[in-house]
Amino acid sequence: MNGAAPSAWPAPAKLNLFLHVVGRRGDGYHLLQTVFQIIDLCDTIRLMPRSDGVIGRVDALPEVAVEDDLCMRAARALQSSTGCSLGADIALEKRIPIGGGLGGGSSDAATVLVALNEIWQTGLDTEALASIGLQLGADVPVFVYGRNAYAEGVGERLQPIDLEDRWYVLVHPGVSVSTPQIFAAPELTRDTPLTTIARFASGTPTRNDLEPVVRAREREVDAALRWLQSHAPARMSGSGSCVFAAVAGEVQAQAVVAVCPQRWRAYSVRGLANSPLHDAVMAYRRVDR
Ligand code: C5P
């Protein structure tokens, strides 16, 4: 291992193409059915190994306390489950909106787990990393596996799924939504009938059960959905706040982005078949260390 070389690792965002709440576990967590689509909007995480075992934060987001920082928690979880005596300085370049329903924090955690497992040479396999990831958040495993997936359970029972190569318009309506608050809402529908991958693939209508709850509470999410809907069928991702619409291609995506009201941030994003994290792992392994 090269003791001092920093390396840069991507952490992609996801969209939930649909999200059905089908039940609730005894511990309060919700049983879901959802499809995760990985997209090319990415955070970048720079990792600098340290020999003293310390996990340090560099240029941290001021709004995220150290104890809530999923990058730090992921590094510590990997240390404690492997007994590794090495440490790392972690720098996060944030591009994925926080509280946007795009899985940014979960993806950052997954990237730290996967990348430090390479850098520290702790040798865990993907299943072991995903199971550490699940302790950090329900959306972490899908980013560890790095494949688009049909998910059940609390989001951890994953089946890889091939999705069409698609462009999306993504709109961040300038507000951040608290996932626990939305899942705790009394008005949330929690008994959507079970569907199947086959029904999803054949175009049976789906929805995001969290969307009406967020729309009723956040005027800007409702307004962004109505605006995007006037261009293409639009839906909210995860517990919001971001909304998205599939469009015919990159040119169409950019045309919609260009006319987005200035108070919101719009992105033209591409659906990916695989996480760029796995290309980064391959590239890292190819370099002679
Ligand atoms: O797993 P994650 O940390 O993203 O979840 C945040 C919160 O959202 C949980 O603490 C829980 O309150 C709620 N949640 C849920 N059911 C899920 C996922 C999240 O109730 N499947």
Side-chain angles (χ1 to χ4, degrees):
M1 185 181 69
N2 179 340
S7 50
W9 302 82
K14 55 82 178 166
L15 300 175
N16 295 92
L17 298 188
F18 76 93
L19 194 160
H20 292 174
V21 181
V22 298
R24 197 176 202 179
R25 290 197 317 206
D27 65 359
Y29 258 76
H30 290 77
L31 298 169
L32 311 175
Q33 289 188 311
T34 186
V35 164
F36 290 109
Q37 161 77 76
I38 294 171
I39 57 173
D40 65 355
L41 174 64
C42 295
D43 291 340
T44 301
I45 296 177
R46 289 194 173 72
L47 296 168
M48 171 85 86
R50 307 173 50 137
S51 54
D52 60 4
V54 171
I55 307 293
R57 282 211 303 186
V58 182
D59 300 333
L61 302 167
E63 65 268 41
V64 180
V66 183
E67 61 275 16
D68 298 333
D69 187 323
L70 278 170
C71 292
M72 305 288 286
R73 292 179 52 205
R76 292 198 175 118
L78 184 63
Q79 260 183 338
S80 67
S81 61
T82 60
C84 180
S85 61
L86 298 169
D89 282 328
I90 305 176
L92 171 61
E93 201 178 311
K94 198 80 199 145
R95 289 186 207 88
I96 305 170
I98 295 173
L102 304 178
S106 300
S107 186
D108 294 341
T111 290
V112 168
L113 288 173
V114 169
L116 285 182
N117 189 47
E118 296 296 318
I119 294 168
W120 290 344
Q121 299 185 349
T122 34
L124 296 190
D125 63 16
T126 308
E127 285 69 34
L129 292 170
S131 109
I132 298 173
L134 184 58
Q135 314 297 313
L136 301 166
D139 287 353
V140 179
V142 71
F143 291 111
V144 170
Y145 287 108
R147 287 283 320 271
N148 294 323
Y150 186 88
E152 297 182 291
V154 297
E156 86 295 3
R157 275 174 31 215
L158 298 166
Q159 283 177 261
I161 186 170
D162 290 324
L163 297 171
E164 276 173 60
D165 186 6
R166 276 240 163 105
W167 282 84
Y168 297 88
V169 176
L170 178 65
V171 177
H172 180 243
V175 291
S176 143
V177 169
S178 154
T179 303
Q181 274 178 26
I182 298 308
F183 272 111
E187 69 273 27
L188 173 64
T189 299
R190 297 183 168 87
D191 58 357
T192 294
L194 289 172
T195 187
T196 59
I197 293 194
R199 267 188 250 146
F200 165 73
S202 69
T204 303
T206 55
R207 58 180 187 248
N208 181 342
D209 283 327
L210 306 178
E211 187 181 297
V213 177
V214 179
R215 280 185 99 152
R217 291 167 181 227
E218 295 286 353
R219 242 191 3 217
E220 286 297 275
V221 175
D222 181 59
L225 265 169
R226 277 187 284 115
W227 177 80
L228 191 53
Q229 200 87 46
S230 70
H231 295 275
R235 176 169 287 180
M236 196 179 78
S237 180
S239 56
S241 61
C242 287
V243 301
F244 67 94
V247 291
E250 184 177 10
V251 172
Q252 290 83 354
Q254 283 170 355
V256 178
V257 167
V259 295
C260 178
Q262 283 200 344
R263 67 185 196 276
W264 302 327
R265 172 99 196 253
Y267 306 80
S268 109
V269 297
R270 188 174 195 170
L272 302 175
N274 293 297
S275 170
L277 175 60
H278 291 280
D279 302 330
V281 169
M282 293 307 151
Y284 186 84
R285 286 181 184 172
R286 276 197 297 272
V287 175
D288 196 17
R289 273 158 223 287

